[in-house]
Every structure is written in structure tokens, then in C-alpha cells.
Amino acid sequence: DPTGTWTSRTSSFGTTSMIDVAYDGSTNFVAVGYSGKLATATDPTSTWTQRTSSFGTDAILGVDYDGSSTWVAVADVGKLATATDPTSTWTQRTSSFGSTTINGISYGNGVWVACGNSGKLATASDPTGTWTQRTSSFGADTVYLAKYANSIWVAVGAGNKIATATDPTGTWTQRTNPFTSTYVRSIDYGHGMWVA
């Protein structure tokens, strides 16, 4: 119950910052963070085990699961890796970001969307294959994360920008919002409402 008591657990990250966490809905929780750290747990209240991430010492900034077979993690300097078993091998892929930092990764409606610095946003139907850069409508502003729910994608970023798209491979439209020159770092949907 998130309105009740939160209990601190031993994460295996030591003093290293943890950035993101994802769950496959049945078996594995995956947490990622700075210094290339990636840990998994079957029970998040118990043991978290550090895994070999293939990111070296680069900060891992996002992780997500497609609900059936594939995990994707993204990081500094344009790195993107995939795994079918997050406790085992993570394979580096060509991301199309060059050396630009990738801040977030999300899956929805058959498409992966990766978001990065300098207004970069890329999509892929198969994350182990080709990633295609798209026009994000963020200009040169950082895109932090995109999420899909209720038949629409929503992306957020620097410069108080929020954009929507029904098809992430097509047009992203900037929306009026109340953030006024503030970085919008995250977005999520639940119970009929989007929260940024």
C-alpha cells in the first residue's frame, strides 16, 4: 500500500545512484543506475543481485520490458542493450543515437520508443534490429521519456515540453502545459488520468 509504510531494502547498489526500475509482471524486477550497474530480484523485499550489464561504467538511465520476451536498457553515449533473460547476457545494439545520451525507453502497442538529448527520439518494432530517428517536435531540447496508454503516446522533456502522438513513428504535437520553463522528467498513466 503506497499510502502506508515504505520499508528500506538492501539494493546491492551501495552508494551508487539508482535511476529506474521495471517489472516483467511475473518473475523479475530489474533496477539500473550509474556506473553501469544493473541488478535483478525475484522478490524486491529480499536479495538484489548485480548482473553484468555490458554497459561498462556508463550510467544506465532506463529499462523496460515488452510483456512477452525482451528487455531493453539505455544509457549514456548512445548505448542500448537487449536481453531475453535479464539475469544473463545483455547484448549491445546499434541505437541510431550516435554518442548522444539516451534518457528513457518504453514499449507500447508493438513499438519501442527511445528518448534522448538534443531532441532525439527513435522507434523500433524489433529492438535488436534497426532504430529509426523520428522528428520529435522538441527541437534541441532533451526528451526524457515517452509512455503509451489509452491509445496515445505522451513524451516529456526539457523546456517544459510535453508532446503527444497516436503513432510514434509519425507526427508529435506539442501541448500546452503548466510547467513554465521546468524540466518534465517523467510521465505515467493510471485510473483514467495522465500524471507528469
Side-chain angles (χ1 to χ4, degrees):
D1 175 7
T3 68
T5 302
W6 286 81
T7 303
S8 291
R9 307 294 181 178
T10 302
S11 69
S12 80
F13 278 75
T15 59
T16 302
S17 293
M18 190 185 305
I19 304 298
D20 197 15
V21 64
Y23 177 56
D24 64 13
S26 62
T27 306
N28 289 297
F29 288 84
V30 177
V32 297
Y34 284 179
S35 302
K37 287 192 173 182
L38 184 151
T40 65
T42 54
D43 176 1
T45 69
S46 185
T47 303
W48 285 84
T49 303
Q50 286 292 321
R51 307 295 181 178
T52 301
S53 70
S54 81
F55 285 89
T57 58
D58 292 311
I60 310 175
L61 303 176
V63 63
D64 203 8
Y65 180 68
D66 67 2
S68 62
S69 62
T70 306
W71 290 86
V72 178
V74 295
D76 280 343
V77 296
K79 287 186 176 180
L80 183 151
T82 65
T84 53
D85 177 359
T87 69
S88 186
T89 303
W90 286 82
T91 303
Q92 289 292 318
R93 308 293 182 179
T94 302
S95 70
S96 81
F97 280 79
S99 60
T100 301
T101 294
I102 309 175
N103 297 299
I105 183 73
S106 191
Y107 177 83
N109 200 31
V111 183
W112 287 93
V113 177
C115 302
N117 288 359
S118 303
K120 288 190 173 182
L121 183 149
T123 65
S125 55
D126 175 4
T128 69
T130 302
W131 284 84
T132 303
Q133 287 291 321
R134 307 295 182 179
T135 302
S136 70
S137 81
F138 281 76
D141 287 319
T142 295
V143 191
Y144 286 111
L145 184 66
K147 283 286 186 78
Y148 175 81
N150 202 30
S151 301
I152 196 165
W153 283 89
V154 180
V156 296
N160 67 289
K161 289 185 175 177
I162 296 178
T164 64
T166 53
D167 176 1
T169 69
T171 302
W172 287 84
T173 303
Q174 287 293 319
R175 304 297 179 180
T176 302
N177 65 77
F179 283 93
T180 314
S181 302
T182 300
Y183 287 13
V184 190
R185 292 276 186 168
S186 190
I187 183 82
D188 212 347
Y189 177 87
H191 199 59
M193 185 171 291
W194 287 92
V195 179

